[in-house]
Amino acid sequence: MQVVTVRFQPHGDDRGQLIALEESKEIPFHVKRVYYIYDTKSGVRRGFHAHKKLEQILVCVHGSCKIMLDDGEERADVLLDKPYEGLYISNDTWREMYDFSSDAVLLVLASELYDESDYIRNYDEFLKFVRAKKGVQ
Ligand code: T46
């Protein structure tokens, strides 16, 4: 499956690094919400859902974690361990986050406000959703 990662341009000088993310530039949608995941306990796996509408960019701004993406046909595992690299996740992608380092901070920029009714938490329903979208039985 196609994995879309984005490399952000650091504004570095002798003081260190700074990365700026602006909607419709580095971020391909209007950002309505920002959240972050940290202090993740050892061995935890999170996510286990897709979305009907939500698009997101994930950046592991500190430490590392892995993201499993599933488009209903193929799967890919992506290591996020660079504060200057983002992972774009479209709505219709099943995602699971795992292998968090103890110091990991996973920042997420989201295209929509939080809405529980946008979640698809059942894997069979997810398959039906993506197949219906592609017009496949
Ligand atoms: C996603 C992955 C990458 C809120 O109240 N507001 C929010 O904006 C979010 C994201 C969550 N919550 C509450 C809902 C739950 O009671 O925080 C709790 C944990 O959320 P959840 O179990 O959905 O967290 P993850 O890590 O499974 O999934 C999250 C996002 O929900 C999801 O959209 O794509 O991170």
Side-chain angles (χ1 to χ4, degrees):
M1 67 173 287
Q2 198 193 0
V3 172
V4 180
T5 54
V6 193
R7 187 170 273 242
F8 308 124
Q9 182 62 53
H11 302 278
D13 57 29
D14 53 11
R15 298 170 298 174
Q17 304 295 328
L18 183 155
I19 287 181
L21 304 177
E22 294 189 17
E23 64 180 26
S24 307
K25 288 190 185 171
E26 292 82 4
I27 308 302
F29 49 75
H30 293 296
V31 179
K32 287 196 182 159
R33 178 167 52 109
V34 174
Y35 62 92
Y36 42 95
I37 295 169
Y38 66 101
D39 196 22
T40 308
K41 306 305 174 208
S42 171
V44 159
R45 206 169 170 102
R46 320 181 49 126
F48 299 95
H49 59 260
H51 283 277
K52 294 175 191 161
K53 192 171 167 200
L54 186 71
E55 296 173 82
Q56 303 190 109
I57 294 261
L58 278 59
V59 187
C60 197
V61 291
H62 195 258
S64 64
C65 65
K66 289 181 184 157
I67 317 291
M68 192 282 283
L69 301 173
D70 178 341
D71 65 5
E73 289 178 355
E74 291 177 302
R75 291 183 170 198
D77 290 271
V78 183
L79 171 67
L80 291 181
D81 61 352
K82 300 174 188 72
Y84 52 82
E85 186 175 81
L87 172 67
Y88 172 78
I89 307 186
S90 61
N91 57 327
D92 48 6
T93 305
W94 187 266
R95 80 285 316 263
E96 296 172 19
M97 301 89 81
Y98 64 102
D99 267 7
F100 286 84
S101 61
S102 57
D103 59 350
V105 181
L106 180 63
L107 176 75
V108 183
L109 309 177
S111 66
E112 305 296 332
L113 300 178
Y114 179 68
D115 176 7
E116 182 56 39
S117 70
D118 189 65
Y119 284 71
I120 306 171
R121 295 193 182 275
N122 177 286
Y123 189 76
D124 290 333
E125 270 176 37
F126 160 69
L127 290 179
K128 277 188 204 152
F129 180 82
V130 287
R131 285 172 187 164
K133 214 174 150 185
K134 289 178 189 156
V136 179
Q137 285 290 322

